[in-house]
Amino acid sequence: ANMNSRGVRLTGRVVDKRRRPQGSAVIEVVQEGRSRIADRTSDDGRFAIKLGERPADGRRRGSLHVHDDIGLAAAREFVLEESTPDVLDLGTLALVDAGPLTVSVTKNGAPIEGAQVFIGTQTGIGFGPFVSDRNGSIGPRTLPEGPYTVTAYSDDVWRGEADVVVSGGVESTTR
C-alpha cells in the first residue's frame, strides 16, 4: 500500500495551568505552502486535524498554536516527511502565560504584502510561515511569553529580522 495515499492527522491534548483538559481552545495550524487550518479542542481538550498529504520528497515544516480566551497559549513545531505516520501525536500541550505579537513588514517605509514571516525561538525552527496582508501585517498572534526572533522574506529576495520579547498583557510590535 502506498503510504502517501492517506493524509496525516495531527493529534494531541490541551490542558490548562492546573493540568485540566481545556475545551474550546482555539487551534491554528500553519504549514509551508499550505492554507491555514483553524479548529477548536473538544470538551476533553483533544484535537485531531487533517494536515493533508505527505510531501512526496523532502520535508514540510509547520507549527500548531493554541490559545484560550484569557491570555494563555501554547505552541509546538512539527515536520512532515514522506515517512511520517498517519497519526502525528504532539502529546499534551500545557497552556502558559502569553502575550500578543503584531508584526509589520515594511521595506523603505512601504508595507510589503505577501511576505513570509517566521517567529523563531532559540531552540527550534520557529513558528510559521505566516503571510503578511496588504498592510504588511500579521497578528496580533497570541504566543507563549519569551524571546523570539522574527524573520520576514519577500519575493524579491529581501530579508528582514528583529528580536522581540513577548510578555503577558503587553502588546509587542516589531517592524
Side-chain angles (χ1 to χ4, degrees):
N2 179 1
M3 261 180 74
N4 240 351
S5 64
R6 298 182 304 265
V8 175
R9 278 187 322 137
L10 189 67
T11 63
R13 187 171 81 109
V14 178
V15 297
D16 65 15
K17 283 181 152 185
R18 294 183 184 154
R19 309 292 294 176
R20 297 176 303 197
Q22 179 66 53
S24 295
V26 176
I27 292 182
E28 179 182 41
V29 176
V30 292
Q31 303 176 75
E32 290 176 306
R34 295 289 175 108
S35 297
R36 181 179 75 90
I37 302 169
D39 205 347
R40 287 189 176 265
T41 57
S42 60
D43 290 343
D44 64 0
R46 296 191 181 280
F47 60 88
I49 297 169
K50 293 179 182 174
L51 296 180
E53 300 299 317
R54 293 167 188 79
D57 52 355
R59 309 159 52 115
R60 185 168 68 237
R61 299 186 315 174
S63 60
L64 177 135
H65 305 85
V66 58
H67 66 88
D68 65 7
D69 55 2
I70 62 168
L72 301 178
R76 185 80 43 92
E77 303 163 19
F78 62 88
V79 175
L80 289 183
E81 299 175 304
E82 198 171 1
S83 60
T84 301
D86 287 349
V87 176
L88 181 58
D89 187 3
L90 296 182
T92 299
L93 287 86
L95 296 176
V96 296
D97 291 330
L101 174 66
T102 300
V103 177
S104 298
V105 182
T106 60
K107 182 177 179 183
N108 300 326
I112 298 181
E113 180 178 4
Q116 291 214 22
V117 178
F118 293 88
I119 302 169
T121 63
Q122 294 181 347
T123 59
I125 60 172
F127 310 123
F130 303 103
V131 178
S132 62
D133 64 18
R134 63 185 181 86
N135 299 315
S137 296
I138 67 156
R141 312 230 43 97
T142 302
L143 296 175
E145 291 184 335
Y148 294 93
T149 298
V150 177
T151 307
Y153 301 90
S154 69
D155 289 338
D156 65 357
V157 194
W158 174 84
R159 177 176 177 263
E161 191 171 283
D163 291 321
V164 298
V165 175
V166 173
S167 62
V170 178
E171 172 105 16
S172 301
T173 303
T174 185
R175 293 185 179 278

